[in-house]
Amino acid sequence: MQLLQKLVSFTICASLVILLLLPFVISSQEHLKTTGNLTSNKNIIHKISPKLLFEITLHGFLLWASMGFLMPVGVIAIRMSHREACGRRLKILFYVHSISQQMLSVLLSTAGAVMSIKNFNNSFDNHHQRIGVGLYGMVWLQALIGFLRPRRGSKGRGLWFFVHWITGTAVSLLGIVNVYTGLQAYHQKTSRRIHIWTIVFTTEVSFIIFFYLFQDKWDYIHKQGVILEPLRPTHQVISPGEKQKGSTTESC
């Protein structure tokens, strides 16, 4: 079991490192394509109406909020809840996870998908549209799995948790990848610069990764300044009356 947990942690860390390197690869490809197709992009930008440009921008914002923000927030919230035994804080974290992933994220991604089907040319000749179709189905699958949560302690709880965790992790990683591919598609469609947005989103992803990996170490770091003294036996004389009182208390 410990080997499986280490393997899963290593896989997640490797995937997060790949996500951090992805924008730099995209930027280099973008530079090569820009130098080769500068003339054609200038002709394309004049064909885009202000309405279509607004719809493209709104589509990108909705999918960023759904996949690039709410999904990671839901993952972090449920991970933080593992440190809570019970109480109000555990319920708050659970509701944050459920509302952000199973409600708001699904609604925003649905709105973005409807805008894409209604207003855009969906020829599916690029990675952004292909990943988006599969990602949209996985978002609804993840929400359905979340609503079908069995009771804690039942036989199928372990299998459900594994499927729910795998699906949620895959949606979060693919969602971040698709935000980068969406920025690339936005640049190809409008020939506008995306360097600033790429840097801003990479900074956000880096912060989320840092917080995700740091929260498990917080208790360990906090305890480093605490000196745990061994318990010393105390030789105390107990009177017969106190012994009788103690035996009465234990019987209760």
Side-chain angles (χ1 to χ4, degrees):
M1 188 65 182
Q2 293 181 354
L3 180 61
L4 179 61
Q5 292 178 352
K6 291 181 179 179
L7 181 61
V8 170
S9 300
F10 175 78
T11 304
I12 294 176
C13 293
S15 302
L16 296 177
V17 171
I18 293 173
L19 286 177
L20 289 178
L21 295 177
L22 180 64
F24 299 102
V25 177
I26 292 178
S27 299
S28 61
Q29 294 178 352
E30 171 193 337
H31 177 71
L32 294 175
K33 291 182 180 180
T34 301
T35 55
N37 302 323
L38 183 60
T39 304
S40 59
N41 285 339
K42 286 183 178 180
N43 295 329
I44 291 174
I45 191 172
H46 293 293
K47 298 180 182 179
I48 297 178
S49 63
K51 181 181 178 181
L52 181 59
L53 181 61
F54 171 76
E55 290 172 348
I56 293 174
T57 305
L58 181 59
H59 169 82
F61 177 78
L62 290 175
L63 271 299
W64 163 80
S66 175
M67 301 297 172
F69 181 73
L70 290 174
M71 289 298 295
V73 166
V75 172
I76 291 176
I78 201 63
R79 189 175 179 87
M80 292 176 63
S81 67
H82 295 163
R83 300 166 54 187
E84 304 293 332
C86 58
R88 182 181 179 184
R89 188 174 179 181
L90 178 61
K91 292 182 179 179
I92 291 174
L93 291 173
F94 175 76
Y95 284 128
V96 169
H97 170 77
S98 300
I99 293 173
S100 62
Q101 285 197 345
Q102 299 181 10
M103 296 181 185
L104 295 179
S105 180
V106 173
L107 291 176
L108 292 180
S109 61
T110 301
V114 170
M115 287 187 62
S116 177
I117 295 173
K118 184 179 179 181
N119 303 314
F120 305 152
N121 181 19
N122 297 300
S123 57
F124 300 101
D125 57 350
N126 56 56
H127 296 298
H128 179 68
Q129 293 179 347
R130 294 168 185 169
I131 296 175
V133 172
L135 192 59
Y136 182 66
M138 291 179 65
V139 167
W140 275 100
L141 177 63
Q142 171 72 352
L144 180 62
I145 294 173
F147 282 117
L148 297 178
R149 177 170 60 98
R151 292 183 179 182
R152 188 180 296 272
S154 60
K155 293 182 178 180
R157 176 76 179 192
L159 178 61
W160 170 88
F161 178 81
F162 180 77
V163 174
H164 186 61
W165 173 77
I166 284 291
T167 309
T169 304
V171 169
S172 298
L173 295 177
L174 286 177
I176 293 174
V177 171
N178 214 31
V179 171
Y180 284 119
T181 59
L183 288 172
Q184 177 67 20
Y186 175 80
H187 171 73
Q188 293 177 355
K189 189 73 175 179
T190 64
S191 73
R192 295 196 172 190
R193 295 183 178 273
I194 59 172
H195 296 289
I196 296 178
W197 296 113
T198 303
I199 293 173
V200 170
F201 184 64
T202 303
T203 303
E204 177 205 341
V205 173
S206 301
F207 175 77
I208 291 174
I209 293 173
F210 174 78
F211 189 79
Y212 179 85
L213 298 176
F214 179 75
Q215 60 178 329
D216 285 344
K217 300 298 181 182
W218 172 249
D219 292 335
Y220 178 78
I221 295 173
H222 184 69
K223 291 178 181 179
Q224 295 304 303
V226 180
I227 301 177
L228 299 178
E229 297 182 356
L231 296 177
R232 298 178 180 179
T234 56
H235 301 282
Q236 185 177 0
V237 180
I238 302 176
S239 61
E242 292 179 350
K243 289 182 178 180
Q244 183 178 1
K245 183 179 180 180
S247 61
T248 305
T249 305
E250 291 177 356
S251 62
C252 296

